[in-house]
């Protein structure tokens, strides 16, 4: 486009000139070389901002003076972790346009600069992505994997939960639901609210999932349950409990059972929820099932609920170590009336 004077619209004989001027950025003065044009017709001096933006240069000086991030650094950081502008903006709680302007030279707010710097630490970025519910689950996993290459912020155990178990396809062994870590964890916290023995906890989870499947044709957590000698137990339950203890969501105490009838003393683990269960992730019907199972077995000890579970069709008809199909629910003795028209 042909350059013309903004005052008189003259485009003939414009003279290019430059000199050093003081420019003020956030109350501080910076000397910047300004290139401008002079109109021979009216005498106006003007800057062609499409070619040269003296403010950009003043901002650069300001950033350097205040050790703030440069636009190239922000862009390089974002690209390193394969984030789009919209994604990084949403993870940080910034507007998409704001981040875009920072990457193209606008001077960032002090607080946004601090925020971006914090996010540039892989462990922090990892937590921010993990906590972001604006991202679709599959995309979040992909981004987390990219960050994890740069940090040891995730234990192999946690990675396994997120990437290994969560990708299992729904089928008759998951109760036709994709395994959902947050559902499983919050069911555990609900049952462990007042303390629960590990063996009993495993049975409570089994009964809640299977009962819900019987009445609504879908499980609550999507967990698979294996037939083990003490009854049905959810897949990798020991790892989950250990992770929750490590995260301080559960506390654990060892309890002693004095041997009776000459038998040996037995120790067991008792879990107590250290954080409240988030009920809001369950539907009304799911929550009702969980509370029903908890109430039903309230006075059952670990031994009694184990015996009870040993008589269930799913347990009887499944080989040792095998997954129990959710289709086996005909023997569940937990009678209850499901309100008509209630959805899953
Ligand atoms: Zn002019």
């Amino acid at each position: 486009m042909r350059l013309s004077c903004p005052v008189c619209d003259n485009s003939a004989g414009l003279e290019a000139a430059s000199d050093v001027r003081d420019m003020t950025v956030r109350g501080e003065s910076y000397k910047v070389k300004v290139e401008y044009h002079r109109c021979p017709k009216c005498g106006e001096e003007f800057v062609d901002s499409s070619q040269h933006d003296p403010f950009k240069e003043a901002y650069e000086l300001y950033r350097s003076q205040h050790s703030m991030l440069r636009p190239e650094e922000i862009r390089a950081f974002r690209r390193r972790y394969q984030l789009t502008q919209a994604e990084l903006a949403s993870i940080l709680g910034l507007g998409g346009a704001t981040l875009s302007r920072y990457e193209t030279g606008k001077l960032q707010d002090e607080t946004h600069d601090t925020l971006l710097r914090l996010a540039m630490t892989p462990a922090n970025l990892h937590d921010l992505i993990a906590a972001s519910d604006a991202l679709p689950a599959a995309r979040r996993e992909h981004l987390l994997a990219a960050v994890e290459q740069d940090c040891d912020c995730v234990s192999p155990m946690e990675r396994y939960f997120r990437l290994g178990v969560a990708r299992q396809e729904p089928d008759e062994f998951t109760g036709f639901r994709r395994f959902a870590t947050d559902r499983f964890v919050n069911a555990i916290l609900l049952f462990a609210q007042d303390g629960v023995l590990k063996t009993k906890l495993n049975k409570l989870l089994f009964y809640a999932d299977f009962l819900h499947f019987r009445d609504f044709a879908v499980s609550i957590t999507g967990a698979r349950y294996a037939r083990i000698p003490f009854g049905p137990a959810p897949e990798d339950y020991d790892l989950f409990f250990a992770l929750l203890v490590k995260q301080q969501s559960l506390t654990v105490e060892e309890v002693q059972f004095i041997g009776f009838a000459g038998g040996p003393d037995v120790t067991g683990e008792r879990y107590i929820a250290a954080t409240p269960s988030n009920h809001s992730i369950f539907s009304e019907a799911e929550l009702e099932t969980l509370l029903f199972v908890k109430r039903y077995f309230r006075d059952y000890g670990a031994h009694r609920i184990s015996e009870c579970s040993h008589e269930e069709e799913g347990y009887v008809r499944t080989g040792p170590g095998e997954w129990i199909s959710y289709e086996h629910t005909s023997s569940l003795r937990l009678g209850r009336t499901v309100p008509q028209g209630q959805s899953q």
Side-chain angles (χ1 to χ4, degrees):
M1 215 178 75
R2 202 160 155 199
L3 192 64
S4 60
C5 169
V7 173
C8 70
D9 207 31
N10 163 51
S11 57
L14 299 175
E15 303 158 26
S18 73
D19 56 37
V20 173
R21 295 193 184 171
D22 283 323
M23 299 198 62
T24 304
V25 180
R26 292 184 184 162
E28 294 173 17
S29 185
Y30 292 92
K31 291 203 182 302
V32 174
K33 185 182 173 197
V34 178
E35 289 164 15
Y36 59 95
H37 300 272
R38 189 184 294 115
C39 171
K41 196 169 160 195
C42 73
E44 175 71 4
E45 291 173 353
F46 62 95
V47 169
D48 175 11
S49 58
S50 70
Q51 293 299 316
H52 165 72
D53 181 355
F55 268 104
K56 262 190 190 174
E57 284 169 40
Y59 291 159
E60 267 171 37
L61 294 168
Y62 183 92
R63 284 194 199 93
S64 146
Q65 180 72 27
H66 292 263
S67 304
M68 290 171 90
L69 292 167
R70 287 176 290 117
E72 313 85 79
E73 290 177 291
I74 299 174
R75 196 178 314 117
F77 150 68
R78 179 174 64 70
R79 289 186 175 158
R80 175 182 181 92
Y81 296 110
Q82 305 165 25
L83 289 151
T84 66
Q85 281 183 345
E87 285 171 341
L88 181 57
S90 86
I91 287 165
L92 297 175
L94 301 175
T98 304
L99 185 63
S100 166
R101 284 196 295 266
Y102 291 165
E103 287 191 8
T104 50
K106 186 181 186 290
L107 186 60
Q108 65 267 39
D109 286 352
E110 294 268 355
T111 49
H112 290 173
D113 192 71
T114 308
L115 188 62
L116 281 158
R117 273 180 192 286
L118 288 173
M120 285 168 126
T121 305
N124 290 340
L125 181 62
H126 187 274
D127 287 352
L128 287 165
I129 294 172
S132 165
D133 43 19
L135 298 167
R139 180 67 183 149
R140 193 166 55 220
E141 279 180 21
H142 176 82
L143 294 171
L144 286 172
V147 179
E148 281 160 23
Q149 291 181 342
D150 268 11
C151 69
D152 51 4
C153 36
V154 175
S155 70
M157 189 163 74
E158 287 172 270
R159 184 170 312 161
Y160 173 69
F161 289 143
R162 216 177 34 249
L163 303 180
V165 185
R167 283 184 182 164
Q168 186 179 298
E169 288 304 310
D171 61 14
E172 65 178 289
F173 300 105
T174 72
F176 296 102
R177 177 187 287 284
R178 186 173 297 279
F179 179 78
T181 305
D182 55 344
R183 288 169 159 264
F184 189 66
V185 164
N186 280 289
I188 291 170
L189 294 177
L190 183 146
F191 288 135
Q193 194 188 342
D194 311 307
V196 65
L197 287 169
K198 181 162 83 178
T199 21
K200 179 171 177 178
L201 176 55
N202 282 337
K203 294 348 163 244
L204 292 173
L205 292 163
F206 163 78
Y207 273 113
D209 269 332
F210 274 65
L211 179 65
H212 203 76
F213 183 87
R214 184 193 70 187
D215 294 343
F216 296 102
V218 64
S219 67
I220 296 175
T221 72
R224 293 196 288 191
Y225 293 83
R227 179 197 159 126
I228 63 168
F230 297 110
E235 180 172 13
D236 292 329
Y237 63 92
D238 268 331
L239 287 176
F240 267 98
F241 299 158
L243 179 66
L244 291 175
V245 169
K246 182 184 152 220
Q247 290 176 343
Q248 301 182 326
S249 300
L250 281 182
T251 57
V252 59
E253 58 184 32
E254 203 163 275
V255 279
Q256 285 273 348
F257 302 99
I258 307 302
F260 53 93
D265 289 358
V266 181
T267 60
E269 283 158 83
R270 187 164 177 273
Y271 293 112
I272 306 118
T275 49
S277 163
N278 174 13
H279 289 187
S280 70
I281 64 166
F282 300 115
S283 72
E284 211 173 294
E286 288 164 346
L287 190 58
E288 206 167 279
T289 301
L290 290 161
L291 295 172
F292 174 84
V293 166
K294 189 179 182 183
R295 212 164 45 237
Y296 187 95
F297 291 108
R298 190 180 49 212
D299 299 324
Y300 281 57
H303 186 68
R304 193 169 159 212
I305 195 172
S306 285
E307 285 195 324
C308 186
S309 71
H310 283 189
E311 291 163 24
E312 297 299 348
E313 182 201 352
Y315 192 79
V316 173
R317 292 180 54 176
T318 304
E322 289 176 6
W323 300 122
I324 302 172
S325 168
Y326 276 80
E327 310 286 2
H328 300 312
T329 55
S330 65
S331 67
L332 290 178
R333 284 157 302 171
L334 289 74
R336 63 165 179 171
T337 314
V338 177
Q340 287 298 310
Q342 192 166 334
S343 72
Q344 52 174 270

